């Protein structure tokens, strides 16, 4: 048993499903997220080297040379279409297998790993491979 859980004879092992699969409440909260199929995009964030989610105001994502105007909150940013990635639909939030993502880009993979980590789901599949984000804490798995 993990270090913080004492093994008691006669009692069943704790259920590890909360650390493996998102709950119904989590899925409902994720479904309420604002999402537009054509306009929800990821752009690079120069402050922390990550990505920010915004709405595409103008530009063509199909042409890598075109300029895209993206609104994040009350700020507007201009990026090349090659730097802008599409956001996956909310049904893919905290997806167990990243192969199932509609748009497989860096931002979507990082976002999926981050949201699963924040929900204490440290194991994520990418096809045949397991990606584990180590929380330096023992979970009853």
């Amino acid at each position: 048993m993990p270090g913080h859980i004492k093994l008691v004879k006669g009692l069943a092992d704790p259920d590890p499903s909360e650390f493996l699969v998102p709950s119904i409440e989590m899925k409902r909260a994720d479904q309420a997220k604002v999402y537009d199929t054509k306009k929800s995009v990821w752009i690079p964030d120069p402050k922390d080297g990550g990505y920010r989610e915004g709405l595409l105001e103008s530009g063509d994502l199909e042409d890598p040379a075109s300029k895209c105007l993206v609104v994040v909150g009350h700020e507007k940013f201009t990026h090349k279409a090659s730097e802008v990635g599409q956001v996956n639909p909310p049904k893919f939030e905290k997806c167990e297998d990243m192969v199932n993502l509609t748009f497989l880009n860096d931002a979507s993979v990082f976002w999926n790993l981050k949201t699963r980590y924040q929900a204490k789901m440290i194991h994520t599949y990418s096809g045949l491979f397991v990606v584990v984000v180590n929380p330096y804490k023992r979970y009853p798995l």
Side-chain angles (χ1 to χ4, degrees), residues 3-134:
H4 69 285
I5 296 177
K6 303 291 183 202
L7 180 61
V8 179
K9 288 193 177 204
L11 290 180
D13 288 340
D15 183 23
S17 63
E18 69 176 295
F19 300 106
L20 300 172
V21 181
S23 67
I24 298 294
E25 292 81 25
M26 276 189 214
K27 286 188 178 193
R28 283 190 186 131
D30 292 337
Q31 296 293 325
K33 177 179 149 185
V34 176
Y35 176 76
D36 186 343
T37 311
K38 303 285 184 190
K39 294 185 178 186
S40 293
V41 293
W42 296 109
I43 59 169
D45 186 3
K47 293 177 187 170
D48 62 5
Y51 295 91
R52 301 171 85 181
E53 187 175 352
L55 291 174
L56 183 67
E57 197 166 273
S58 66
D60 181 19
L61 293 175
E62 300 298 324
D63 180 18
S66 74
K67 296 283 185 184
C68 295
L69 183 64
V70 178
V71 177
V72 179
H74 297 291
E75 299 177 272
K76 294 185 179 186
F77 299 94
T78 304
H79 289 278
K80 292 180 185 175
S82 60
E83 297 174 346
V84 177
Q86 289 186 281
V87 175
N88 288 293
K91 74 176 187 176
F92 292 110
E93 284 287 315
K94 298 180 186 75
C95 182
E96 291 93 15
D97 192 349
M98 291 188 286
V99 170
N100 297 330
L101 295 176
T102 304
F103 304 110
L104 191 59
N105 50 42
D106 289 350
S108 294
V109 170
F110 291 143
W111 179 255
N112 190 49
L113 290 172
K114 179 182 175 181
T115 55
R116 286 183 62 83
Y117 176 78
Q118 289 172 339
K120 297 182 181 178
M121 292 180 277
I122 60 172
H123 297 90
T124 307
Y125 284 92
S126 180
L128 297 174
F129 302 98
V130 177
V131 179
V132 180
V133 181
N134 189 353

